[in-house]
Amino acid sequence: MLTYLLVFSFFGAVYSNRPNFVVFLTDDQDSVLGGMTPMANVQKFIGNEGVTFTNSFTTSPICCPSRASFLTGKYVHNHRTYNNSIVGGCNGGEWRKEENTTFTNILHTKGYRTFYAGKYLNEYGNIHAGGVSHVPPGWTEWHGLVGNSVYYNYTISNDGVPTYSTDLYLTDVIRNLGISYIENQTDSTPFLMVLAPPAPHQPFTPAPRHFGRFSNITAVRHPNFNIAVNDKHWLMSMPPSPLPETMMPELDRVYRSRWETLLSVDDMVADIINALDTQSLLDNTYIIYTSDNGYHIGQFSQVYDKRQPYETDIRVPLLMRGPKIIRNTTNEQPTLNIDLAPTILELAGVVVPETMDGRPIVLNNGNNEIQERTMLIEYRGEGKDGTVDKRCAWYYDRDNLAQCHVDYECKCQDSHNNTYACLRHLTTRVNMKYCFFSDNDFFTEMYDLNEDPFELHNKVNEVFPAVKHWYQLIMAHLLGCKGAKECSNPLLYYEGELINYV
């Protein structure tokens, strides 16, 4: 009996020392246009107490594919969620199979309590995709938002039971759910918490206490703001280009409203961390703050949206704090959202599945030199989705176009052939992007971000053919890669040949 108690006590102590995890996942928060400026608490309680990553990217600049990548640790071509529609894989039949492979489900099987509150996938709750009663596997407690991000008039699936609210601000509801959960935790069983507020997603509705806080703020006017272009994919140059001056007040309104919606998220971060501290859980908890994708507002005469391969859309904030992280540091190493799943599993002492394409992040890298990495960005354009306004001149082409609104001056934000793959290549000296579009012209774009940070000049026709061929080989490999060994290894196989690109 004594031996049994000693063994039980030993394994209980080991079990209780496993770290907790809290992930804040915002919706459409950029890092290029000042999207982190309003986040004073995030900087104070996460950045200053941990590490800020300066080269963090999403695998797809759109919500559903990016969130699927975050959960599975896989590139888009492996989890097969290509865009925000059920037809494009968002919460469809293929995703049902992938739900069993998420890092959250793995943690749950290893003894973690798991909690989710907020936006899941855009089509979650759709009657054709399981309905509101479907609770994804691996969650001990589930509060999933039905459908896309809103701030009022929403339905939440509380462990499969729908609850409708009209007047409770959603970010604050998520905050309250999170605090209540933490207040019922102890250090005897580790937990994972994911809080996914709607901010700063459209319709950009701030909490009443934050209305007007940034009334004097205007949208960032970088050199690529509202300029006409002729060397990019055709969608960028469709009229009106540039946007008329009458659109500028709307862009400014959207910019400051996005900041104001984020203030409630910043409040939530402070309150959640305070709750962890009150429960004596903070010291053994890793806290991660990030977004599913970035955003553009006026760049290259686009209105406001994401879906494009430019830095505004693919760069995301990423900050972490926790037991093994050095305080108030920055990390320039290239990271992808597919790296978060294997990172969390490794920190939890769980073997990372070989099927994950991402790799654990080296959190305390004493070497300031950037380790070379080639990263894949994928997007499949949408069309025929009923979002082309009848009053727009190109309504006749509505089967190929999407997101064409009169409020946008009928400037379309998407199309079927806005389908591309981009290679993001970073080393200490190299900062390149190569993009290939799946259209009739097989259009390509290439930018040297060191000399052209605003991507003003497509230099694809100015580089040596061998350089383009080199990027094409790597992209072809990554588009077919499976697992971290293939997707991260600098020794790439292409048509049976070993290519050393270091």
Side-chain angles (χ1 to χ4, degrees), residues 100-112 138 345 350-353 356:
N100 294 307
T101 72
T102 63
F103 82 92
T104 57
N105 196 36
I106 294 171
L107 281 184
H108 186 257
T109 63
K110 298 298 181 180
Y112 269 75
L345 291 178
V350 176
V351 175
V352 179
M356 286 189 173

Side-chain angles (χ1 to χ4, degrees), residues 101 118 221 440:
T101 72
R221 263 73 166 172
N440 292 335

Side-chain angles (χ1 to χ4, degrees), residues 441-452:
D441 300 322
F442 302 109
F443 194 78
T444 53
E445 297 183 30
M446 195 169 189
Y447 302 96
D448 184 337
L449 280 299
N450 282 336
E451 64 181 32
D452 181 19

Side-chain angles (χ1 to χ4, degrees), residues 42-186:
V42 172
Q43 184 57 52
K44 178 180 179 180
F45 296 116
I46 305 180
N48 292 351
E49 297 297 323
V51 57
T52 299
F53 294 87
T54 59
N55 285 309
S56 179
F57 299 86
T58 181
T59 49
S60 187
I62 193 73
C63 303
C64 207
S66 173
R67 288 165 183 264
S69 286
F70 159 68
L71 290 165
T72 61
K74 294 179 181 179
Y75 274 126
V76 171
H77 63 269
N78 286 328
H79 61 61
R80 299 177 297 282
T81 296
Y82 295 104
N83 54 41
N84 282 349
S85 65
I86 290 182
V87 174
C90 182
N91 209 51
E94 289 294 326
W95 176 248
R96 286 289 173 279
K97 303 172 187 176
E98 290 295 333
E99 278 185 322
N100 294 307
T101 72
T102 63
F103 82 92
T104 57
N105 196 36
I106 294 171
L107 281 184
H108 186 257
T109 63
K110 298 298 181 180
Y112 269 75
R113 292 175 179 163
T114 52
F115 173 97
Y116 197 101
K119 177 177 174 178
Y120 179 54
L121 302 180
N122 296 56
E123 292 290 343
Y124 174 70
N126 190 305
I127 193 171
H128 300 294
V132 178
S133 63
H134 172 68
V135 176
W139 295 102
T140 311
E141 187 170 330
W142 175 257
H143 305 279
L145 174 68
V146 175
N148 204 358
S149 283
V150 289
Y151 300 85
Y152 296 103
N153 300 314
Y154 53 82
T155 298
I156 290 180
S157 171
N158 293 304
D159 292 325
V161 178
T163 301
Y164 181 68
S165 176
T166 59
D167 57 353
L168 296 176
Y169 192 69
L170 180 56
T171 302
D172 292 344
V173 170
I174 294 169
R175 165 199 170 276
N176 293 339
L177 288 167
I179 290 174
S180 178
Y181 184 79
I182 292 170
E183 288 174 345
N184 287 288
Q185 303 308 304
T186 67

Side-chain angles (χ1 to χ4, degrees), residues 427-476:
T427 72
T428 300
R429 298 179 179 83
V430 177
N431 189 4
M432 297 292 291
K433 179 188 294 179
Y434 176 82
C435 297
F436 179 88
F437 285 81
S438 180
D439 60 13
N440 292 335
D441 300 322
F442 302 109
F443 194 78
T444 53
E445 297 183 30
M446 195 169 189
Y447 302 96
D448 184 337
L449 280 299
N450 282 336
E451 64 181 32
D452 181 19
F454 298 108
E455 299 169 280
L456 298 171
H457 179 59
N458 179 7
K459 62 181 299 179
V460 70
N461 294 320
E462 300 172 9
V463 299
F464 289 116
V467 174
K468 284 189 285 188
H469 183 61
W470 184 81
Y471 278 116
Q472 289 164 359
L473 291 180
I474 296 175
M475 181 179 288

Side-chain angles (χ1 to χ4, degrees), residues 191-361:
F191 66 88
L192 162 75
M193 168 181 286
V194 178
L195 301 173
H201 193 282
Q202 195 172 8
F204 326 115
T205 307
R209 64 186 182 276
H210 296 138
F211 270 113
R213 283 281 297 275
F214 297 112
S215 58
N216 295 324
I217 297 297
T218 57
V220 172
R221 263 73 166 172
H222 284 155
N224 56 11
F225 180 81
N226 200 29
I227 61 170
V229 294
N230 56 17
D231 62 352
K232 291 175 172 53
H233 189 236
W234 72 269
L235 193 61
M236 295 294 102
S237 58
M238 74 175 299
S241 185
L243 298 170
E245 282 299 314
T246 54
M247 273 294 297
M248 298 305 105
E250 171 65 2
L251 299 188
D252 291 337
R253 180 196 69 83
V254 166
Y255 187 86
R256 58 178 169 261
S257 294
R258 282 168 53 83
W259 276 21
E260 290 171 358
T261 66
L262 285 166
L263 291 175
S264 59
V265 179
D266 202 46
D267 291 344
M268 175 172 65
V269 169
D271 293 340
I272 291 292
I273 291 176
N274 181 65
L276 290 168
D277 194 26
T278 301
Q279 293 296 111
S280 301
L281 296 169
L282 183 59
D283 290 343
N284 194 37
T285 300
Y286 285 96
I287 301 172
I288 300 171
Y289 186 95
T290 192
S291 177
D292 53 6
N293 49 259
Y295 209 71
H296 60 255
I297 303 177
Q299 284 64 46
F300 306 118
S301 299
Q302 289 288 286
V303 189
Y304 43 86
D305 197 54
K306 50 267 185 176
R307 309 170 206 262
Q308 306 308 331
Y310 307 109
E311 296 293 279
T312 50
D313 296 23
I314 66 174
R315 279 186 177 266
V316 293
L318 177 59
L319 302 89
M320 293 179 63
R321 67 171 285 178
K324 297 181 180 179
I325 298 177
I326 298 174
R327 295 179 64 252
N328 199 22
T329 56
T330 58
N331 190 323
E332 296 182 356
Q333 300 309 312
T335 62
L336 280 168
N337 58 345
I338 57 174
D339 298 334
L340 292 176
T343 299
I344 292 172
L345 291 178
E346 184 175 81
L347 290 171
V350 176
V351 175
V352 179
E354 293 183 357
T355 52
M356 286 189 173
D357 304 328
R359 63 194 192 192
I361 300 169

